[in-house]
Amino acid sequence: MEIADVRGDLSQVLLTGDEIQRRIGQLAATVDQDYQGKDLLLVGVLNGAVWTLADLARELRNDCQMDWVAISSYGAGVTSSGVLRLLKDLSADVAGRHLLVVEDIIDTGLTLSYLIENLRGRGPASLEVLTAFRKPAAARCDVAVKYVGFDIPNDFVVGYGLDYAGRYRHLRGLGVLDPAVYNR
Ligand code: PRP
């Protein structure tokens, strides 16, 4: 889905699909350098990270493997309390492996802090984070993130994995959702 297809639902276009792809390509080149000769496992956080992980992995020149987790947030109210639960665990044993957690967005940072603590306990050789987007103004905890695509404003954004009520995830770019859409 292209920005032109939903332009009326967006109050602002933040990034085009091409801009995001270019940045993911740059991050992939850095990841390739950093993990040269290492056993790299990309850990995607369902559902939003599907697009970021797929695009990143296809830009990598070195071999890597992929695995997925799903984390329940119990809806927005409970997310802010930090009560989270692993809904789907990794299939792989990660002890001694180099893990790169891949996210579409870091908002409060609560999801990632929970996941990082959980994964650390399994004895990986290393554990780093890559995110396509980050909202610095929304941060509620300190998460060390090695690779950031774009820092963005604290607006309700959709596209490139980010949804509103299940819609817009497959939009190539990233835009601010017009409040008229969720006030309908
Ligand atoms: C989004 C996003 C991150 C999380 C970030 O997932 O993909 O996993 O929220 O928010 P936080 O930094 O405030 O914890 P969401 O729970 O919306 O699920 P989804 O990926 O299935 O849309």
Side-chain angles (χ1 to χ4, degrees), residues 17 22 27 33 43 61 93 97 109-110 113 121 126 131 176 184:
R22 260 198 303 280
L27 292 177
Q33 277 178 2
V43 175
R61 308 297 297 269
D93 180 2
R97 305 189 68 184
L110 292 169
S113 354
S126 69
T131 187
V176 178
R184 264 176 208 157

Side-chain angles (χ1 to χ4, degrees), residues 45-48 73 103-111 163 169:
V45 184
L46 295 170
N47 296 290
S73 61
E103 266 288 22
D104 52 344
I105 191 162
I106 301 173
D107 202 321
T108 62
L110 292 169
T111 304
D163 73 308
R169 277 196 207 275

